[in-house]
Amino acid sequence: MAMTSEPAYLELFSSRASAYILWERRQWIDLITSGILTIYRSKNDNTNIWMKMCDKQNINYHFWRIQSPQHKDHHVRVRPKGERAWVIRAIETLYPLSLENVEWVALRFQNVKDSILFEKQFLAIGKFLTQKFQYATQQLMLPLDMITPSDNV
């Protein structure tokens, strides 16, 4: 009897879209036209959320980690660009994670309905990540009455 392993991630969203990245000279570079965008969340780590953009044949693909609140701006960045397009700040995951891998990714959906569904899902992810970050930060802070002055002061 063959054992099937359960995937280590949950699919949160999937839709047809086109993807572009903002290049060094402020030019948008076409990555994948009319591909499939999928957003995943790790089953083991709820803050590990990433996007995959692939072409129709699943040959060419790109992965981005959706920026966690611990990153530079302390919140997930998404901006609308018309009815069907969004610009997102994400981390390219084909390279070791670093600040140099932060990219602006533009997504254009084939219809307004998919764009609205993406907005709702992405904003829910941003709210969730922000709450997790705020909770973790609160756990690290001590109340002032627990801090005792040093005898040397």
Side-chain angles (χ1 to χ4, degrees):
M1 180 177 198
M3 303 241 342
T4 58
S5 63
E6 195 172 316
Y9 55 85
L10 296 171
E11 184 177 302
L12 301 178
F13 176 83
S14 185
S15 177
R16 284 206 166 284
S18 297
Y20 312 84
I21 61 166
L22 190 59
W23 198 247
E24 296 171 359
R25 297 181 186 196
R26 298 286 194 207
Q27 296 175 344
W28 288 101
I29 305 297
D30 184 4
L31 288 181
I32 294 177
T33 304
S34 298
I36 299 171
L37 170 73
T38 309
I39 299 177
Y40 299 97
R41 178 179 57 87
S42 169
K43 286 184 179 179
N44 301 327
D45 178 4
N46 289 338
T47 62
N48 186 6
I49 301 172
W50 47 280
M51 298 186 307
K52 176 185 178 186
M53 185 70 194
C54 64
D55 61 11
K56 295 174 191 172
Q57 296 80 23
N58 203 19
I59 296 171
N60 297 316
Y61 53 88
H62 294 270
F63 288 97
W64 296 276
R65 182 153 188 238
I66 294 178
Q67 209 169 293
S68 69
Q70 295 92 330
H71 195 68
K72 187 178 175 183
D73 293 330
H74 301 293
H75 63 283
V76 176
R77 304 284 300 265
V78 60
R79 295 179 180 159
K81 294 293 180 188
E83 290 182 314
R84 299 182 302 131
W86 294 89
V87 175
I88 302 164
R89 193 160 188 186
I91 301 171
E92 173 66 53
T93 60
L94 293 178
Y95 308 100
L97 295 179
S98 72
L99 291 176
E100 290 81 37
N101 298 340
V102 175
E103 295 181 330
W104 286 103
V105 181
L107 302 170
R108 179 170 296 281
F109 294 92
Q110 290 186 341
N111 57 59
V112 175
K113 178 185 162 198
D114 288 344
S115 177
I116 291 170
L117 290 173
F118 170 80
E119 174 188 24
K120 288 180 181 178
Q121 183 62 53
F122 203 93
L123 293 177
I125 289 168
K127 184 177 179 182
F128 171 78
L129 290 175
T130 301
Q131 288 172 347
K132 283 281 194 183
F133 177 70
Q134 289 171 345
Y135 175 77
T137 303
Q138 289 169 356
Q139 298 305 309
L140 296 174
M141 296 175 71
L142 294 173
L144 287 175
D145 59 353
M146 291 189 69
I147 301 172
T148 58
S150 169
D151 293 331
N152 299 337
V153 178

